[in-house]
Amino acid sequence: MSEPNNTFPFPGIEAGGTLDISAIFGSSDPGDDVNPFEMPAAKGPVEMDPLPQENAPAAGPEPKPVAEPEPAAEPETEQPSAAPAPEEKVVTEPTRKQAVPPAEEPNLISAAFDKQEEKNTQQGLLEKPPVFAYGSAKEPIKYPSMTFEELRIDKAEDFPELAEGKKVSWTVEYGKTVKTITDPKGTTIQSIKAEIETSRGFLDGLKKAKDKNPDCLVKPRVTAQSKGIAAYKGVFSSLEEARASDKTICIVPAGDGRIYELRKSELGEFIVPKNNVVEFPQIRAGFTPALPLIPMFLLGEVISFFRCYMNEREEFEAMAHILWDKENEEFVVHIPEQEVSKAHINADLSRDTLPESRYLHYADIHSHNSMEARFSSTDDRDEKATRLYIVLGRLDRFFPEISVRMSCGGVFQPLDPATVLESVGEVFPHQWHDNVKKQPRPPRRMVGVSPWTGIPIWRDVR
């Protein structure tokens, strides 16, 4: 047998010594018994030093600590084996400087919509043709690739004052942008329109404007008119007055209705008729009505009345007066007493009793039954009073012929019937325009002036 091992497992205690149990496991007092696996009991709040603050305010009286409210008493319940520790509260000194809120970021979606709207608006304007605007006349320009000079030539037939290019200047008004054209012969209308549309000023003005779809207006203006008469030239009412003056060149009207030019020199007097008198403004013969157009229904009544004096066996002329009733402000028809035949009317106006203070004798209208609507020599002898005259012919047809003229002190001037008469039709659905395409007229240029009428002569530009 081996010898027993007498070595004690606790060093420092001699064999045979007494083992102090309480020193190893604690005292036997129940209150000192501790479960080694149980978490230590929570203690009170831990006070910590305040964190350092940037830009701390100057030292002053310390704020009073906020007293923690005492928890209300709770009924005794079975406590869990381990309770979580309460959050630590840190009391810091309030700062005097408020934090600056971050800058508001731009609304990228709104900006994108604005940019797209601007692009759509600009695209719509690019597709709109420029508009020729002169006085009350406006018309889209079918060929914007033409120059301003070519446009002037094209419009000079309708507006003779545009015939001389040196006297005409051009501007383009587009929204709030106005551009003056310095080279009308070498500048196209489309190039100016495109230049304005791509400018920043035009787009900025378009954003602020109420009209987001303006027209590009191409406007001519007559700028070089007669600015008086030169010191060596004069206008006189008689040849004697012109001879007595100290002017070298004298403009004198004559009894034949023409204008003559007198030039004085050491050689003598030279007198010639003058066809183009720039010293006087251009005047056109015509009539400008001060009253409304004669209604079409009233003309229809007169035509029906005239046709009653036509049948298969014989035809007669007839006459009617168109009067303006100043009291009721309307046109009325008056039939004077008359004796009529195939080609003659003898009206007795002495029996008319209508008060002249109320009625204005505006126009005479008579028929030529189935003959042409052409004023005869008899008409020329009778129609001397200053008023309007209308003749109706070819009344045997569905649409009769109509001729209109005025007499100004016995001098006749033909007139367009539309000057004084309502048209047959003036209203129709606007959608009808959609299926009609106009073929543009080629540009033209003036090649001269008629020596008899003074009217410009035009030729197509090829």
Side-chain angles (χ1 to χ4, degrees):
M1 266 178 92
S2 61
E3 295 182 357
N5 187 2
N6 295 327
T7 305
F8 198 77
F10 298 99
I13 300 177
E14 297 297 335
T18 304
L19 182 63
D20 189 354
I21 297 302
S22 60
I24 299 174
F25 296 100
S27 65
S28 59
D29 188 357
D32 296 331
D33 292 342
V34 178
N35 186 350
F37 300 100
E38 187 178 4
M39 294 294 293
K43 298 181 181 181
V46 179
E47 300 225 355
M48 300 181 65
D49 293 333
L51 295 176
Q53 298 290 327
E54 293 182 5
N55 300 328
E62 296 183 2
K64 295 181 180 182
V66 181
E68 292 287 334
E70 295 184 0
E74 296 181 359
E76 293 183 1
T77 56
E78 185 178 353
Q79 299 290 334
S81 60
E87 293 182 4
E88 296 179 355
K89 294 184 179 180
V90 180
V91 181
T92 60
E93 186 176 356
T95 58
R96 299 179 183 178
K97 206 171 186 181
Q98 295 292 337
V100 179
E104 184 178 354
E105 295 184 359
N107 191 333
L108 300 181
I109 297 179
S110 177
F113 273 113
D114 291 343
K115 188 173 183 180
Q116 183 63 34
E117 183 180 359
E118 176 181 319
K119 183 178 180 181
N120 293 340
T121 300
Q122 189 174 11
Q123 181 64 28
L125 293 175
L126 290 173
E127 296 173 355
K128 286 185 63 176
V131 176
F132 171 78
Y134 184 61
S136 59
K138 284 188 177 182
E139 181 187 38
I141 300 174
K142 297 296 184 181
Y143 288 92
S145 58
M146 68 170 57
T147 64
F148 289 86
E149 175 66 10
E150 291 172 340
L151 179 62
R152 180 194 65 78
I153 294 173
D154 183 52
K155 298 299 182 183
E157 180 179 5
D158 297 328
F159 306 99
E161 61 270 31
L162 303 180
E164 296 187 45
K166 294 180 180 180
K167 296 183 179 181
V168 179
S169 65
W170 293 89
T171 57
V172 177
E173 296 183 10
Y174 205 173
K176 294 185 177 298
T177 303
V178 179
K179 189 172 183 61
T180 302
I181 308 305
T182 57
D183 181 18
K185 292 184 179 181
T187 306
T188 64
I189 300 166
Q190 183 60 44
S191 66
I192 296 299
K193 181 175 182 288
E195 179 182 338
I196 296 176
E197 287 171 339
T198 55
S199 65
R200 189 73 258 172
F202 172 75
L203 297 176
D204 291 343
L206 196 62
K207 292 179 181 178
K208 302 176 183 178
K210 294 182 180 179
D211 184 6
K212 304 295 183 183
N213 192 26
D215 289 329
C216 179
L217 302 179
V218 179
K219 293 186 172 184
R221 187 166 66 94
V222 179
T223 57
Q225 293 182 341
S226 300
K227 299 181 176 60
I229 300 177
Y232 53 82
K233 185 185 295 186
V235 177
F236 303 93
S237 60
S238 66
L239 183 59
E240 291 73 17
E241 184 181 353
R243 285 171 172 165
S245 71
D246 58 351
K247 304 297 183 181
T248 304
I249 302 176
C250 302
I251 308 299
V252 184
D256 59 1
R258 302 190 65 180
I259 303 297
Y260 287 82
E261 181 179 277
L262 164 66
R263 291 183 178 243
K264 306 172 188 176
S265 74
E266 295 180 354
L267 302 178
E269 291 181 352
F270 298 83
I271 301 177
V272 293
K274 194 168 179 62
N275 295 322
N276 186 21
V277 186
V278 297
E279 290 78 15
F280 297 121
Q282 293 286 338
I283 298 177
R284 284 188 171 187
F287 173 69
T288 303
L291 298 176
L293 298 177
I294 298 174
M296 179 52 64
F297 80 87
L298 207 65
L299 180 64
E301 291 179 352
V302 174
I303 292 174
S304 298
F305 171 70
F306 288 165
R307 281 175 171 164
C308 288
Y309 293 90
M310 297 176 58
N311 53 50
E312 296 178 355
R313 293 179 299 172
E314 55 185 354
E315 297 177 346
F316 298 92
E317 291 187 355
M319 172 183 284
H321 292 167
I322 306 294
L323 309 179
W324 174 254
D325 186 346
K326 294 189 288 184
E327 185 174 308
N328 295 327
E329 295 186 348
E330 62 181 2
F331 285 108
V332 296
V333 176
H334 171 65
I335 307 299
E337 293 188 14
Q338 53 194 286
E339 293 181 359
V340 298
S341 64
K342 166 71 175 177
H344 184 74
I345 301 172
N346 184 19
D348 186 1
L349 304 181
S350 63
R351 298 186 182 184
D352 286 346
T353 58
L354 295 176
E356 295 182 359
S357 59
R358 175 174 176 177
Y359 295 97
L360 295 177
H361 192 162
Y362 188 64
D364 283 359
I365 178 170
H366 71 278
S367 71
H368 277 186
N369 43 68
S370 61
M371 298 182 291
E372 295 180 346
R374 184 171 57 185
F375 291 96
S376 65
S377 57
T378 302
D379 298 333
D380 293 343
R381 290 192 301 267
D382 295 339
E383 298 174 351
K384 298 295 186 180
T386 301
R387 65 170 66 106
L388 302 175
Y389 296 92
I390 304 172
V391 60
L392 298 175
R394 303 296 188 189
L395 289 168
D396 55 333
R397 300 178 181 179
F398 184 80
F399 285 109
E401 294 181 356
I402 301 177
S403 294
V404 180
R405 72 179 180 181
M406 71 172 191
S407 173
C408 181
V411 178
F412 303 111
Q413 176 67 32
L415 297 177
D416 182 354
T419 306
V420 295
L421 298 173
E422 273 188 357
S423 177
V424 174
E426 296 181 352
V427 181
F428 61 91
H430 190 268
Q431 294 81 357
W432 292 1
H433 280 305
D434 298 339
N435 293 333
V436 179
K437 305 297 181 185
K438 294 181 180 179
Q439 187 173 3
R441 184 175 60 189
R444 296 182 296 169
R445 62 185 179 89
M446 188 175 68
V447 297
V449 178
S450 171
W452 297 279
T453 63
I455 299 176
I457 300 174
W458 301 91
R459 182 174 297 169
D460 293 344
V461 176
R462 299 183 180 181

